């Protein structure tokens, strides 16, 4: 029983006892106050309407999605679609330009899968840390790529083939498409023949191995 109900019951019983005593002693009845009616009902005051809960709006930081993040989230149906979807900026970082230069000078005219495989070799070398600490270090390493002269890359041309190389480089660096030569560390032209190592793939005019 709630506490308030117990109090009300106690008060009622007390006055009832006093009333009985007064009836048995008429002289005492005149001195007793009238017994008030005690209500044990408890009324609860509730609001007629409960305000609806409105979800908090996302913060400005959560709502901002950059173009680069959107590109990384896309699942492409083909490698050609992935390459075509890349935006090429004039202020691309140096590693991207070095990778694009290697793709262009080593594999322009090759199928996109072959160009991507060349990019994969360079990125695998960079990750291994055995050939240099950055993409540009790997590309300009002495004796590795014949197009490098005095540790420098030739000037990048302004043509469609180089723009394609830039797009392939972006696809490779973002891992937007899986290469057929994912584990390769070396490649050479078919006319040179297969060097020592485990053959990974043969794409276009190149053989890839590790």
């Amino acid at each position: 029983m709630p506490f308030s109900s117990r109090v009300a019951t106690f008060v009622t019983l007390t006055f009832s006892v006093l009333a009985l005593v007064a009836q048995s002693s008429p002289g005492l009845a005149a001195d007793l106050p009238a017994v008030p009616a005690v209500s044990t009902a408890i009324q609860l005051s509730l609001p007629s309407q409960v305000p609806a809960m409105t979800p908090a709006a996302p913060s400005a930081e959560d709502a901002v999605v950059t173009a680069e993040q959107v590109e990384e989230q896309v699942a492409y149906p083909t490698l050609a679609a992935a390459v075509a979807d890349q935006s090429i900026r004039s202020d691309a970082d140096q590693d991207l330009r070095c990778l694009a230069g290697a793709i262009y000078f080593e594999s322009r005219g090759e199928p996109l899968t072959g160009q991507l495989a060349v990019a994969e070799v360079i990125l695998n070398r960079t990750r291994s840390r055995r050939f240099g600490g950055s993409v540009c270090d790997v590309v300009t390493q002495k004796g590795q790529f014949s197009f490098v002269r005095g540790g420098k890359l030739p000037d990048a041309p302004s043509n469609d083939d180089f723009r394609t190389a830039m797009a392939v480089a972006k696809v490779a660096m973002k891992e937007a498409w899986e290469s057929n030569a994912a584990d390769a560390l070396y490649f050479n032209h078919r006319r040179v023949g297969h060097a020592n190592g485990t053959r990974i793939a043969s794409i276009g005019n190149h053989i890839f191995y590790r």
Side-chain angles (χ1 to χ4, degrees):
M1 179 184 295
F3 177 75
S4 58
S5 297
R6 292 200 299 269
V7 171
T9 301
F10 175 76
V11 171
T12 301
L13 291 174
T14 301
F15 279 100
S16 297
V17 170
L18 291 175
L20 291 174
V21 172
Q23 290 176 0
S24 61
S25 303
L28 184 61
D31 298 329
L32 292 176
V35 178
V38 179
S39 174
T40 59
I42 300 176
Q43 295 182 349
L44 298 178
S45 177
L46 296 175
S48 59
Q49 293 183 347
V50 178
M53 298 296 291
T54 303
S59 65
E61 292 182 357
D62 294 336
V64 173
V65 179
T66 66
E68 292 291 333
Q69 290 173 324
V70 170
E71 284 183 358
E72 291 176 0
Q73 295 168 2
V74 173
Y76 298 103
T78 64
L79 174 56
V83 171
D85 194 48
Q86 304 307 309
S87 58
I88 307 303
R89 297 173 50 175
S90 58
D91 60 343
D93 65 67
Q94 194 60 29
D95 272 350
L96 179 62
R97 299 189 71 84
C98 284
L99 184 57
I103 294 169
Y104 176 81
F105 290 110
E106 288 291 329
S107 62
R108 69 180 180 275
E110 292 291 308
L112 291 177
T113 52
Q115 295 185 48
L116 182 63
V118 168
E120 196 66 32
V121 167
I122 294 168
L123 292 177
N124 287 342
R125 288 187 176 192
T126 305
R127 297 183 191 108
S128 75
R129 314 297 290 183
R130 291 160 46 196
F131 302 86
S134 69
V135 171
C136 289
D137 289 343
V138 170
V139 172
T140 58
Q141 187 182 25
K142 186 176 180 180
Q144 293 301 309
F145 296 101
S146 59
F147 65 88
V148 176
R149 295 286 188 273
K152 295 182 179 180
L153 278 71
D155 292 336
S158 178
N159 56 32
D160 289 341
D161 284 342
F162 187 75
R163 282 189 286 273
T164 296
M166 286 284 287
V168 172
K170 287 192 70 175
V171 169
M173 294 184 81
K174 294 192 302 185
E175 299 182 355
W177 191 264
E178 186 174 355
S179 170
N180 294 336
D183 297 324
L185 286 172
Y186 309 93
F187 68 92
N188 55 27
H189 200 279
R190 286 182 181 278
R191 64 173 177 265
V192 176
H194 176 57
N196 293 331
T198 302
R199 180 167 171 162
I200 301 297
S202 177
I203 306 172
N205 290 311
H206 291 113
I207 299 173
F208 298 85
Y209 57 98
R210 64 173 298 119

